[in-house]
């Protein structure tokens, strides 16, 4: 199995794993708004720690992804920015790595 296929599998795992809990939140929460979600996520120090951690991960991902995508001429890379916030970084980061591996593979075949 190629590494890019592992990235794709991790992307699927990322969407399934995070949205399993998102769906549970939608089924049990009283305030079904983005603000309500953010308030629930900040309810204790553990949630705040995860939030801080993910903020740094997302920023680092964007700092890496944007110039790398432009350099490798990855098509539709910009779609990953809103998807990061709408779905999860656990989905978009491995999906970007899959897209990057495809671009690198094409470059190797061209040379």
């Amino acid at each position: 199995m190629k590494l890019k296929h592992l990235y794709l599998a991790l992307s699927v795992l990322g969407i399934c794993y995070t949205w399993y809990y998102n769906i549970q939140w939608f089924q049990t929460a009283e305030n079904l708004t983005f603000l309500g979600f953010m308030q629930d996520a900040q309810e204790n120090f553990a949630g705040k720690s995860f939030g801080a951690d993910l903020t740094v991960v997302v920023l680092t991902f964007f700092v890496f992804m944007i110039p790398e995508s432009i350099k490798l001429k990855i098509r539709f890379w910009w779609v990953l920015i809103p998807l990061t916030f709408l779905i999860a970084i656990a989905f978009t980061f491995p999906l970007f790595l899959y897209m990057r591996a495809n671009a690198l593979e094409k470059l190797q075949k061209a040379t």
Side-chain angles (χ1 to χ4, degrees):
M1 176 166 82
K2 290 186 176 184
L3 190 57
K4 73 177 191 176
H5 297 122
L6 177 59
Y7 293 145
L8 198 56
L10 288 169
S11 185
V12 171
L13 176 65
I15 195 171
C16 293
Y17 197 34
T18 57
W19 273 86
Y20 170 78
Y21 292 106
N22 287 344
I23 291 167
Q24 287 186 350
W25 178 81
F26 280 114
Q27 292 174 341
T28 59
E30 293 178 22
N31 183 4
L32 296 177
T33 64
F34 180 73
L35 185 58
F37 182 85
M38 294 307 291
Q39 287 172 339
D40 285 351
Q42 296 287 314
E43 228 171 67
N44 58 46
F45 291 119
K48 289 179 183 192
S49 174
F50 275 115
D53 189 39
L54 287 175
T55 299
V56 173
V57 169
V58 167
L59 290 173
T60 305
F61 171 52
F62 290 161
V63 166
F64 172 66
M65 177 193 65
I66 294 169
E68 189 75 0
S69 297
I70 293 167
K71 180 178 83 176
L72 295 175
K73 297 180 172 86
I74 297 172
R75 296 180 67 205
F76 306 112
W77 63 268
W78 51 270
V79 173
L80 298 176
I81 294 172
L83 289 179
T84 297
F85 299 104
L86 294 171
I87 298 176
I89 185 74
F91 167 68
T92 56
F93 182 57
L95 182 59
F96 167 72
L97 292 176
Y98 172 78
M99 295 165 71
R100 181 178 179 269
N102 275 339
L104 290 171
E105 199 173 84
K106 287 177 187 175
L107 278 174
Q108 284 179 340
K109 287 180 183 177
T111 58

